[in-house]
Amino acid sequence: MSAFKAYDIRGVYNKDFNKEDVYRIGFFIPQLLKTNKVLVGRDVRISSPEIFEHLVRGINDAGADVYDLGISTTPMVYYFTAKHNFSASVQITASHNPKEYNGLKVSRESALPVGFDTGLGELQKLVENKSEIIPVANRGKVVEYHVIQEYIDFQKTYLKDISNLNIAIDCSNGMGALLAVDIYGTNPHYIYDELDGTFPNHEPNPLEEENVEDLKHLVLKEKCDVGVIFDGDADRVMFVDNLGRFIRPDLMIAVLAEYFIKEKGLSGNVLQDIRTSKSVSEYITKLGCTMHMWRVGRAYAALKLREIDGIFGGELAGHYYFKDFYYSDSGILAATLILGIVADLKRGNKTFSGLINEINTYANSGEINFKINQKAEAMEAIREYFTSQEPTVAFFDFDGYRIEFKDWWFNIRPSNTEPYLRFIAEAKSETLLAEKVAKAESIIRKFD
């Protein structure tokens, strides 16, 4: 079964996994997480009802109760797992992947992520053991647990006066549409705010800039102060500034400092992933906080933020983690905080684009994907070449390599969820960046 990944269970439904696999997953989750009740939510993908049916049957046959959250965003499942003291939860979703995909995100007590190293690997062994499953005599039951208004009320506690803003919001036909109007009202210009698991307008992955084109056009057409776009399950969010420019998501970690550090006066630790721009660490360090770098993915980031007792953190992929959200990520909460920041900027006769320009002081390549077979060999070739050319300033090897030099740095890492080798570089000038990226590409292409 090829659906077990580093962070979750995910793949093309009925190819990488099927309903029989889902049933076995459900049956063994109570045993794995030592619980007799499991919170379950789901997105609106076409395959989600069938997956829900077989997951629930497996959980009930193991003697555990299912608390049915209904249609939900992934962060809703995190919130209620921790808030209502569940020892296990599952969100049925494939997040930002195309419509033919689906999956399961598993959490334990306090919304702690269950990744491959912290339980999914063991679950995979249990699922792939094809021995007969015998349902227990005292089957579990299904309890309707529709508490969406409690979640909306919680999110609105962070909502400032944004009535001065002209806002564009793209819900990507995903789960952000479940909550956006109830939280932000009817004044924003909405597009693709109908829940539709076929994603008829664009794929629900805003990190691919082609999926943000309609939002850019809307921002420019309506002269908006800010554009907001959610991914399929609303655990990620990305932004377009008032000039219609897509903002690289790692820069938004620095923008969030306007709320946590400048407005709230907090100090302490902030988390970034290994791909994050030096612009971010330099900006936040000047404000008096300490930056920590760690691996990519919620299975690692949520645990690390808790370990360092961080205030907040973020990733290049548009995940933002908050201590006040049980160290988990929430696209809605991040959007709410950012909208408040932009509203304050406007009241001070400043613009979103102006703040981004102030933060962003490096030339950045963005993440470049290479579909190659010899990933490890290519990584070693890149490391050996560049470290032989000039002295290193810093070297990190916990998620691929991040190697920093005097005037530039790069990260090269294999994707944990897709068949790619990913490369990103940043330099003090566009000329230097172009030179380094061209050389890296020439080396990597030898391993096609």
Side-chain angles (χ1 to χ4, degrees):
M1 181 180 168
S2 58
F4 280 86
K5 309 295 185 185
Y7 315 140
D8 55 21
I9 302 163
R10 194 186 309 186
V12 176
Y13 188 57
N14 285 325
K15 177 184 175 184
D16 297 318
F17 72 112
N18 57 35
K19 61 187 182 183
E20 287 79 18
D21 298 318
V22 171
Y23 172 81
R24 294 179 72 87
I25 289 168
F27 188 86
F28 289 115
I29 279 177
Q31 173 185 324
L32 178 76
L33 299 180
K34 298 177 175 58
T35 186
N36 61 3
K37 63 177 187 178
V38 182
L39 179 68
V40 178
R42 60 192 183 275
D43 69 12
V44 291
R45 290 170 185 268
I46 301 304
S47 57
S48 290
E50 180 174 287
I51 293 173
F52 176 77
E53 176 190 347
H54 287 82
L55 180 72
V56 168
R57 187 162 61 85
I59 293 170
N60 286 164
D61 280 356
D65 296 335
V66 169
Y67 284 70
D68 177 13
L69 196 57
I71 300 299
S72 61
T73 70
T74 295
M76 282 176 63
V77 174
Y78 299 154
Y79 176 82
F80 286 112
T81 303
K83 177 73 172 178
H84 292 180
N85 298 312
F86 284 90
S87 296
S89 67
V90 181
Q91 168 73 344
I92 299 167
T93 184
S95 187
H96 61 280
N97 289 118
K99 61 184 178 181
E100 64 270 21
Y101 284 74
N102 215 323
L104 304 100
K105 294 185 176 180
V106 183
S107 300
R108 61 174 77 235
E109 72 281 351
S110 304
L112 291 168
V114 178
F116 196 84
D117 298 334
T118 54
L120 288 187
E122 184 180 346
L123 181 61
Q124 182 179 16
K125 291 176 184 176
L126 292 168
V127 169
E128 292 181 348
N129 175 0
K130 293 303 183 182
S131 60
E132 182 183 3
I133 288 177
I134 302 174
V136 302
N138 188 19
R139 293 185 75 249
K141 61 183 182 296
V142 177
V143 179
E144 287 196 4
Y145 207 64
H146 299 167
V147 286
I148 187 172
Q149 190 58 50
E150 179 184 340
Y151 188 71
I152 291 169
D153 292 344
F154 164 78
Q155 290 285 350
K156 290 176 77 170
T157 63
Y158 291 88
L159 186 65
K160 298 173 69 174
D161 179 8
I162 57 172
S163 60
N164 64 326
L165 289 183
N166 189 9
I167 304 166
I169 298 178
D170 181 350
C171 295
S172 301
N173 294 114
M175 300 314 304
L178 183 68
L179 303 170
V181 172
D182 285 325
I183 294 173
Y184 306 122
T186 57
N187 284 336
H189 306 279
Y190 290 99
I191 55 173
Y192 314 143
D193 55 336
E194 305 86 14
L195 290 165
D196 188 337
T198 68
F199 308 113
N201 296 291
H202 60 71
E203 288 187 356
N205 182 6
L207 196 57
E208 297 291 338
E209 214 167 327
E210 64 191 47
N211 298 323
V212 191
E213 291 304 315
D214 290 350
L215 179 63
K216 290 180 181 177
H217 293 318
L218 181 61
V219 166
L220 293 174
K221 176 187 173 185
E222 300 294 342
K223 298 181 172 58
C224 293
D225 301 298
V226 57
V228 180
I229 181 168
F230 298 103
D231 78 335
D233 64 338
D235 64 348
R236 299 195 298 160
V237 64
M238 297 176 203
F239 300 88
V240 169
D241 71 12
N242 51 294
L243 301 179
R245 302 180 304 183
F246 175 74
I247 302 169
R248 210 173 62 247
D250 56 335
L251 298 177
M252 301 306 298
I253 304 170
V255 174
L256 285 166
E258 300 291 310
Y259 172 81
F260 288 104
I261 303 174
K262 288 189 176 181
E263 180 179 335
K264 292 298 181 182
L266 300 176
S267 61
N269 297 320
V270 178
L271 187 67
Q272 66 177 56
D273 79 31
I274 198 168
R275 306 163 297 179
T276 302
S277 170
K278 290 193 76 169
S279 299
V280 173
S281 58
E282 291 177 0
Y283 188 83
I284 289 179
T285 300
K286 285 178 184 175
L287 296 177
C289 280
T290 302
M291 293 300 301
H292 290 258
M293 188 185 300
W294 194 231
R295 302 179 67 177
V296 174
R298 178 178 182 266
Y300 307 112
L303 296 177
K304 178 59 74 170
L305 190 67
R306 181 183 296 268
E307 177 188 318
I308 64 174
D309 193 27
I311 307 165
F312 70 100
E315 295 187 41
L316 180 66
H319 293 276
Y320 304 101
Y321 303 87
F322 306 99
K323 179 177 182 178
D324 292 344
F325 195 72
Y326 303 103
Y327 300 96
S328 291
D329 45 331
S330 168
I332 294 284
L333 180 52
T336 298
L337 295 176
I338 295 295
L339 290 175
I341 291 164
V342 178
D344 287 344
L345 287 171
K346 189 172 183 180
R347 278 187 277 271
N349 296 315
K350 297 179 180 178
T351 62
F352 195 13
S353 60
L355 177 58
I356 296 301
N357 291 341
E358 180 184 342
I359 292 167
N360 190 24
T361 56
Y362 286 83
N364 190 288
S365 68
E367 203 163 44
I368 304 167
N369 295 316
F370 298 90
K371 196 168 186 177
I372 62 173
N373 294 320
Q374 297 174 284
K375 295 179 185 179
E377 293 85 350
M379 287 175 57
E380 289 306 313
I382 288 285
R383 179 188 63 80
E384 289 174 7
Y385 175 79
F386 285 117
T387 56
S388 71
Q389 297 300 303
E390 57 184 301
T392 61
V393 174
F395 183 96
F396 305 91
D397 65 353
F398 48 74
D399 201 350
Y401 297 123
R402 175 168 171 146
I403 305 178
E404 299 184 3
F405 305 92
K406 179 175 177 290
D407 296 320
W408 75 288
W409 64 269
F410 73 87
N411 168 240
I412 188 165
R413 56 182 288 273
S415 170
N416 282 304
T417 57
E418 296 174 288
Y420 296 117
L421 184 66
R422 306 192 191 279
F423 178 86
I424 188 170
E426 192 171 65
K428 289 186 176 179
S429 73
E430 293 285 357
T431 302
L432 180 61
L433 177 66
E435 172 194 327
K436 300 301 184 183
V437 170
K439 184 60 184 179
E441 287 183 338
S442 71
I443 296 171
I444 295 170
R445 292 297 182 197
K446 295 176 183 177
F447 298 89
D448 279 354

